[in-house]
Amino acid sequence: QNHEWWRMRHWPQIQNQKADAGISQQTGEPKATSAWLFNSIINKHADIMDNFPKPNVLPRQQDDVADAKSLSDIVPVILEQNGYKKVYSNAAYDLVIDGGTITGVFWDSSKNDGLGDVAIRQIDIHNMFWKPGINDIQESPEVFSVAAVDNDRLIAMYPQMEGHTGNTSATVEYLHDDAIDQEKSKMSEVVDWYYKTTKLVPVIEDPETGEMVTREKTVLPFCKFCN
């Protein structure tokens, strides 16, 4: 609905809302059109792009000065290689149109002929799930990121998925002008599941007993599953 509104296709949305509320349509009802919302979003997006961030890595202590200087040279190169300005632009549209945006930072082992490197991608906020009713996502014990993946690509990546592909029932589908093949039988939902747990870790050796003193530490395991 948000995307239809910003494309100036708001009257079908208004009519649907009226129908849901049991309000009858008036014959000959005027349907005013205006690009006010479109222009507002475009101008806000331009303001965000004018304030495109520049990495500024500062040292925490004196020993970190050299590392901070190195990172100040390295991070801009990583962002440029990932086409971060385009990711930032898309994220800005999500922020203004949908009210929130998510950017994912990953390690892609296939980059640089298998040497691997950092990968930065925009994440669809509509296909992220966490505990309802919280103000801080860090308070959620679990976070799920769901993506629809072509079965052929899925089997190529994970041969054990042959004969075990699923379907796509949870991912959000958008309205498109183009003829896009969204045949669900050819795709599977792949879930990235992050969950919190605790474990005991050794901290320091007790000088009297010689034993390692342990404490509880919160860790974030990761599980990828399908079907």
Side-chain angles (χ1 to χ4, degrees):
Q1 290 179 355
N2 288 344
H3 284 260
E4 289 297 279
W5 269 86
W6 111 270
R7 293 178 180 184
M8 297 189 296
R9 299 171 181 172
H10 46 277
W11 278 108
Q13 303 300 322
I14 294 173
Q15 289 169 346
N16 290 339
Q17 291 173 7
K18 285 185 175 181
D20 292 341
I23 302 173
S24 59
Q25 303 292 325
Q26 301 294 325
T27 305
E29 182 180 8
K31 296 180 179 178
T33 57
S34 170
W36 173 84
L37 179 62
F38 178 87
N39 287 332
S40 297
I41 290 174
I42 289 294
N43 289 330
K44 186 65 176 177
H45 179 269
D47 290 341
I48 295 173
M49 294 307 296
D50 285 342
N51 292 279
F52 184 73
K54 178 182 178 181
N56 184 22
V57 183
L58 301 177
R60 290 187 174 182
Q61 52 191 14
Q62 193 64 34
D63 294 343
D64 297 334
V65 172
D67 291 339
K69 186 177 184 304
S70 297
L71 286 172
S72 295
D73 296 330
I74 294 170
V75 173
V77 176
I78 293 175
L79 294 177
E80 185 175 353
Q81 289 178 341
N82 278 277
Y84 179 64
K85 196 160 191 176
K86 178 65 175 175
V87 177
Y88 181 81
S89 173
N90 292 336
Y93 276 120
D94 268 5
L95 177 64
V96 181
I97 296 172
D98 288 326
T101 185
I102 299 173
T103 301
V105 182
F106 307 95
W107 179 260
D108 187 346
S109 58
S110 64
K111 280 190 169 185
N112 296 328
D113 296 327
L115 292 177
D117 204 345
V118 174
I120 305 174
R121 303 189 200 81
Q122 183 189 10
I123 307 297
D124 188 348
I125 195 171
H126 293 291
N127 292 322
M128 291 283 292
F129 303 91
W130 55 88
K131 184 179 180 180
I134 59 175
N135 294 322
D136 185 352
I137 197 171
Q138 296 294 338
E139 297 174 5
S140 181
E142 299 167 306
V143 173
F144 302 89
S145 175
V146 186
V149 181
D150 289 327
N151 288 338
D152 291 341
R153 179 165 170 258
L154 188 63
I155 293 170
M157 294 169 63
Y158 307 100
Q160 67 270 27
M161 288 300 300
E162 181 75 52
H164 298 286
T165 53
N167 55 34
T168 55
S169 58
T171 49
V172 170
E173 294 181 9
Y174 296 91
L175 300 177
H176 299 279
D177 292 331
D178 304 322
I180 297 177
D181 181 13
Q182 298 194 51
E183 189 174 340
K184 292 187 175 184
S185 61
K186 296 181 180 179
M187 306 184 81
S188 298
E189 278 175 356
V190 178
V191 181
D192 288 353
W193 174 28
Y194 302 86
Y195 59 97
K196 289 182 178 179
T197 185
T198 58
K199 70 175 184 178
L200 293 176
V201 293
V203 180
I204 192 171
E205 184 176 339
D206 190 319
E208 295 182 1
T209 63
E211 297 180 353
M212 294 298 291
V213 178
T214 60
R215 65 175 176 85
E216 276 195 350
K217 178 184 179 182
T218 300
V219 293
L220 187 71
F222 167 71
C223 174
K224 183 186 285 284
F225 66 91
C226 173
N227 195 23

